[in-house]
Amino acid sequence: MRAEPFPRERRHTAYFLRGIRACAPVFLGAEVDMTAVRHHRRTAGEQGGGPSTVAYVLYAAARVLAAHPEANAALRGGLRPRIAHYDTVAAKLALDKRTGGRRVVLSAVLPDVHLMGLRDIARSTARFRAGDPDTMPEFAGVRILRRLPAPLGRLAYRAGTRPLRRRPATTGTFSVTSLGHRPLTWFHSVGGTTVTLGLGAVADRPVVRGGAVTAAPVLPLSLTFDHRVIDGAEAADVLGDIKHALENFGRPGREGGGSAGGEAGPAGPGRRHP
């Protein structure tokens, strides 16, 4: 047996988990046929094979959330609960990083992601994945939390993330987390936002087209929603619209697409619901 103090490098995770205890998570899932995305990725391919799966999901989800303001929201609890609905969409992306010799999860926020082109999203995510968390300015707050005594760190984290006006910059308005680098089918996560998307691994699986069974690249996509903020019907609409946007990505005359170069402009969801 080996016992040691709780690592400083993971203190921010402990503060985050304490902060989301009041969440009322409900879990949904969908299988997404990524044939259209794979085709678009080949035609938009640059060095390194084109945008990542995460970039496509961020692009599609941001535009869907912009069209679903009830889900692009945040709640502050307490005796007088308040819900804020945002006119901007900010994505929080979970990252697997190393700092202080320890493997940790860190988060980066992409502001106004609903206005970004696919290539810009891909470059931003690649930068965060490749960057050094011990030097990048975006992770300066985490480095401060690591140095503070735990009681002060908890207070500082709460002060930075509790006010509704700060949420888009500190926690995003929705979260995306991926374990697609491992052969996982389903991955459900609570990201501290009203909507959290979890990505499994894209793999060839049987699908039915025109009454015939064929193989297609399928993404297991989960959506966790905070039932305090929205109900299941709204969450199902969001997930269905994201699925539709990805399955029709880049197709002429269809929503959720993009040009061959990947610089698509803002688009609405695949379909609207009453």
Side-chain angles (χ1 to χ4, degrees):
M1 174 180 170
R2 180 171 62 92
E4 61 182 11
F6 191 87
R8 287 178 175 269
E9 293 82 4
R10 296 193 66 244
R11 280 184 177 177
H12 64 283
T13 300
Y15 304 152
F16 164 76
L17 293 173
R18 178 186 291 265
I20 65 170
R21 285 178 180 175
C23 179
V26 179
F27 309 97
L28 306 178
E31 293 185 335
V32 181
D33 185 340
M34 298 291 279
T35 300
V37 167
R38 180 170 287 184
H39 174 74
H40 185 274
R41 190 168 187 243
R42 284 196 299 265
T43 60
E46 301 173 356
Q47 186 176 2
S52 66
T53 299
V54 169
Y56 280 98
V57 172
L58 284 167
Y59 178 92
R63 282 148 177 81
V64 170
L65 265 297
H68 285 270
E70 292 300 313
N72 190 50
L75 179 142
R76 187 194 68 202
L79 296 177
R80 299 178 62 186
R82 303 284 292 178
I83 296 179
H85 300 279
Y86 300 106
D87 56 7
T88 186
V89 183
K92 186 181 81 167
L93 177 64
L95 302 162
D96 177 25
K97 306 293 284 185
R98 281 195 173 273
T99 180
R102 188 177 296 271
R103 192 176 187 179
V104 301
V105 60
L106 295 175
S107 297
V109 174
L110 281 68
D112 296 327
V113 68
H114 61 303
L115 302 178
M116 296 174 65
L118 179 61
R119 283 180 180 161
D120 290 334
I121 293 174
R123 290 175 188 134
S124 293
T125 56
R127 173 178 170 270
F128 281 120
R129 283 175 169 160
D132 183 353
D134 292 328
T135 59
M136 291 185 73
E138 290 86 354
F139 300 124
V142 172
R143 295 194 293 269
I144 292 173
L145 291 177
R146 188 193 311 169
R147 294 193 297 267
L148 288 174
L152 289 179
R154 285 192 292 269
L155 290 174
Y157 181 87
R158 180 181 173 85
T161 59
R162 179 173 169 75
L164 292 173
R165 68 182 184 278
R166 294 185 180 179
R167 300 283 183 90
T170 57
T171 65
T173 63
F174 78 102
S175 303
V176 172
T177 181
S178 172
L179 291 179
H181 64 291
R182 303 297 295 170
L184 302 181
T185 304
W186 292 106
F187 173 47
H188 300 273
S189 177
V190 178
T193 49
T194 296
V195 168
T196 302
L197 299 173
L199 283 65
V202 177
D204 286 343
R205 296 184 175 90
V207 299
V208 178
R209 290 179 181 160
V213 178
T214 186
V218 173
L219 167 70
L221 181 64
S222 70
L223 185 151
T224 302
F225 70 94
D226 189 341
H227 210 335
R228 300 174 303 167
V229 184
I230 59 173
D231 294 326
E234 179 73 13
D237 286 352
V238 170
L239 182 57
D241 284 347
I242 295 171
K243 171 182 167 70
H244 181 84
L246 291 170
E247 291 185 340
N248 292 278
F249 206 99
R251 293 179 180 173
R254 304 298 292 270
E255 297 284 4
S259 67
E263 290 296 350
R271 53 188 176 275
R272 295 311 308 268
H273 303 266

